[in-house]
Amino acid sequence: MGRLDTKVAIITGAAGGIGRTTAQLFASEGAKVIVADWDEAGVETSAQQIREAGGEATSLRVDVSNAEDVQGMAHAAAEKYGQIDVLFNNAGVEGDTQAFTADCTLENWDRVISINLTGVFLGMKYVIPYMLKSGGGSIINTSSISGLVGYPPGMPAYTASKGAVIQLSRTTAMEYAKKNIRVNAICPGVIRTGMSDRFIERGNDSLGSGGSDERRKALEALEPMGRLGEAEEIARMALFLASDESSYCTGAPFIVDGGFVAT
Ligand code: NAD
């Protein structure tokens, strides 16, 4: 018996990183997964890997900031599998990593907000009607430790978007609590993916002015456990929130950060 047997799950940002790993874990626990990303080739590879491992997966090219794309994603998932039980709104971008507020361009601000925040809103807007029809569901929105604290400096659009995802999750959770739709947020710490690699590569005020090796060491030194997290460690929290094991959890931010926010 898998922990997600009979469930249909949409996972955005599933061409790599946390999204791909979570899709693999969900499928291995019996879910039928719809993997969505604007990286069409990458997300088809994710689907193929799942199918080769014996799971059920469909890939879709979707820009989460585009209302038509997101509406189409919800429709395609419901058409193919008859219901949507889980939505993992995980797609996100970091944007500029080195522009303090006065130097953050409006273009960077708009891009990051439209993907990280509007993308989450659109996912919920178009999937909730299907969840209402089938009697409920679980929505998981990816926030960040940056939704809880002011770290990192130089990424005001990112930090603001992730804080707003927590508030949006809370209010949507209140709206649908009696309809059996649970809405929670995950707040990952720094996780070893393409995103954290780019953060280290491009540099950030918190990492000093050394080369990329020194910047990686500086980032690890900020971590209470002395290491970054792994995508699998976020996927396991997503699995708990997607499954019925979290039946009394809604409207809450779930921190998975190796203790970063506790420092
Ligand atoms: P990643 O860059 O490896 O993966 C992000 C995925 O989202 C990519 O496949 C990318 O193509 C996709 N994506 C970006 N914009 C999109 C759009 N408009 N439409 C569809 N797909 C889009 O990064 P990751 O670390 O796996 O990040 C996943 C989520 O976790 C993001 O929301 C990120 O902000 C969050 N997060 C990551 C970290 C970290 O340290 N890696 C920490 C906290 C939160």
Side-chain angles (χ1 to χ4, degrees):
M1 277 288 281
R3 290 161 71 187
L4 299 180
D5 276 350
T6 78
K7 294 202 193 289
V8 176
I10 297 179
I11 297 144
T12 71
I18 293 168
R20 175 179 282 176
T21 300
T22 304
Q24 288 168 342
L25 183 61
F26 280 17
S28 75
E29 290 289 345
K32 298 179 180 75
V33 298
I34 294 90
V35 284
D37 203 292
W38 62 6
D39 172 356
E40 193 169 10
V43 81
E44 176 49 26
T45 301
S46 299
Q48 264 168 20
Q49 288 174 349
I50 289 169
R51 290 192 290 261
E52 278 161 21
E56 170 68 36
T58 301
S59 74
L60 292 176
R61 197 219 64 86
V62 173
D63 175 354
V64 298
S65 66
N66 180 297
E68 260 178 45
D69 278 15
V70 179
Q71 191 170 20
M73 171 183 82
H75 181 73
E79 278 278 290
K80 173 137 195 190
Y81 295 116
Q83 71 204 56
I84 304 169
D85 303 293
V86 177
L87 170 64
F88 185 23
N89 275 317
N90 164 77
V93 290
E94 67 281 10
D96 284 352
T97 61
Q98 298 236 60
F100 281 20
T101 301
D103 301 313
C104 172
T105 64
L106 183 56
E107 189 191 10
N108 180 64
W109 175 269
D110 285 342
R111 177 169 178 271
V112 172
I113 296 290
S114 74
I115 296 170
N116 293 7
L117 177 57
T118 309
V120 169
F121 160 68
L122 290 172
M124 295 200 292
K125 174 176 170 58
Y126 290 115
V127 166
I128 284 173
Y130 292 103
M131 289 184 166
L132 288 172
K133 248 189 235 168
S134 59
S138 173
I139 298 174
I140 306 152
N141 296 325
T142 305
S143 174
S144 167
I145 49 169
S146 302
L148 297 165
V149 297
Y151 184 85
M155 296 173 66
Y158 184 83
T159 304
S161 72
K162 294 300 187 182
V165 164
I166 294 176
Q167 278 300 87
L168 179 58
S169 303
R170 286 186 174 125
T171 197
T172 311
M174 294 304 97
E175 290 170 346
Y176 296 97
K178 290 198 170 59
K179 300 285 185 188
N180 199 31
I181 298 176
R182 299 183 294 104
V183 186
N184 293 288
I186 299 183
C187 300
V190 187
I191 307 301
R192 261 184 350 109
T193 65
M195 185 176 284
S196 56
D197 284 347
R198 293 189 295 273
F199 178 73
I200 292 164
E201 224 24 69
R202 291 179 196 153
N204 179 265
D205 196 61
S206 66
L207 307 182
S209 54
S212 58
D213 282 352
E214 279 96 339
R215 291 200 292 271
R216 182 172 292 276
K217 287 195 186 101
L219 187 56
E220 286 166 359
L222 292 173
E223 299 292 337
M225 291 186 181
R227 68 167 177 91
L228 307 187
E230 300 295 331
E232 175 85 23
E233 294 176 300
I234 304 304
R236 288 201 293 261
M237 175 58 83
L239 172 60
F240 168 70
L241 291 172
S243 77
D244 297 337
E245 292 157 28
S246 57
S247 53
Y248 202 50
C249 300
T250 199
F254 287 79
I255 302 172
V256 187
D257 72 342
F260 187 96
V261 168
T263 58

